[in-house]
Amino acid sequence: HGTEVILEVIPDPGYNFVGFSGNASGSTNPLTITMDSDKSITPNCQIGTYTLTTSGSNGTIQKVPDQASYTYDSTVTLTATPDEGYHFVNFAGDSTGSVNPTTITIDNNKNVSANFAINTYTLNLVSPNCNVTKTPDKTSYDHGETVTITAVTNDEYKFVGWSGDLTGSVNPAVIIMDGDKSIIANCQKNNYSLTI
């Protein structure tokens, strides 16, 4: 009788202590009780819940399941989807690597971001009988970039039209880079009539 006993609750991993019930109450931990009778005390613990925040510029991350919070040891599948003209590079934050989709295990609050990069494309110009210039003149172009191409002829040849990934006969022509392109400038030798 009168002995003081200290009770300390140590929750299992992923659980949180919420309070005592029975012959003790409240959430003080450790708790000191004084023995003045037989006692039965229950420590109550509940599984922890955590948040998963995702972010990405030029793309999105889909969560499956998509919930506001997750219980301890839940698994969530993350799928990164780039915007048009971009590609997925890797995950960063509490999940790393370039595997997409990826699975993450929730054991605390998590924050995951996705890195995306703009697509770049090549422009191949073929001009058997004339010259073709491109402005700007680069080895590769970003998605959505515009390029002006001009067929330049001499007195011997005339430009008749484009083929390949461009049609028509507008010269100069403006193209929008949305993929690798190969364009042919078709030039023909001038023909003349002679009347006697």
Side-chain angles (χ1 to χ4, degrees):
H1 180 87
T3 302
E4 289 187 342
V5 182
I6 298 175
L7 303 179
E8 181 177 3
V9 180
I10 302 173
D12 289 342
Y15 285 78
N16 301 311
F17 171 67
V18 295
F20 291 103
S21 58
N23 294 124
S25 60
S27 58
T28 301
N29 184 33
L31 174 69
T32 301
I33 61 169
T34 301
M35 297 301 295
D36 52 10
S37 64
D38 292 334
K39 295 186 182 292
S40 178
I41 299 172
T42 301
N44 299 295
C45 297
Q46 66 181 15
I47 194 167
T49 57
Y50 306 97
T51 59
L52 173 57
T53 304
T54 59
S55 61
S57 179
N58 302 309
T60 59
I61 300 178
Q62 179 187 17
K63 301 182 290 186
V64 178
D66 188 357
Q67 300 171 188
S69 61
Y70 300 87
T71 56
Y72 177 83
D73 214 29
S74 297
T75 57
V76 183
T77 299
L78 303 177
T79 303
T81 303
D83 292 342
E84 182 180 359
Y86 289 80
H87 61 274
F88 170 72
V89 178
N90 59 7
F91 289 105
D94 291 314
S95 180
T96 58
S98 57
V99 176
N100 184 33
T102 189
T103 300
I104 188 171
T105 300
I106 305 299
D107 53 11
N108 53 44
N109 293 329
K110 301 275 188 182
N111 193 322
V112 178
S113 61
N115 296 312
F116 301 93
I118 195 166
N119 294 340
T120 59
Y121 310 111
T122 59
L123 173 58
N124 181 41
L125 299 176
V126 180
S127 51
N129 298 313
C130 51
N131 294 322
V132 180
T133 63
K134 53 184 179 178
T135 305
D137 187 357
K138 299 159 60 175
T139 56
S140 64
Y141 299 88
D142 290 344
H143 177 86
E145 191 170 357
T146 59
V147 185
T148 301
I149 59 174
T150 305
V152 181
T153 59
N154 54 31
D155 292 339
E156 189 178 356
Y157 289 88
K158 64 181 178 180
F159 172 72
V160 294
W162 307 101
S163 59
D165 290 316
L166 178 64
T167 58
S169 58
V170 175
N171 184 38
V174 177
I175 60 172
I176 299 175
M177 297 299 295
D178 54 8
D180 293 330
K181 292 186 182 293
S182 181
I183 297 173
I184 301 170
N186 298 295
C187 296
Q188 293 179 351
K189 208 165 195 178
N190 291 322
N191 291 316
Y192 306 102
S193 63
L194 174 60
T195 302
I196 300 175

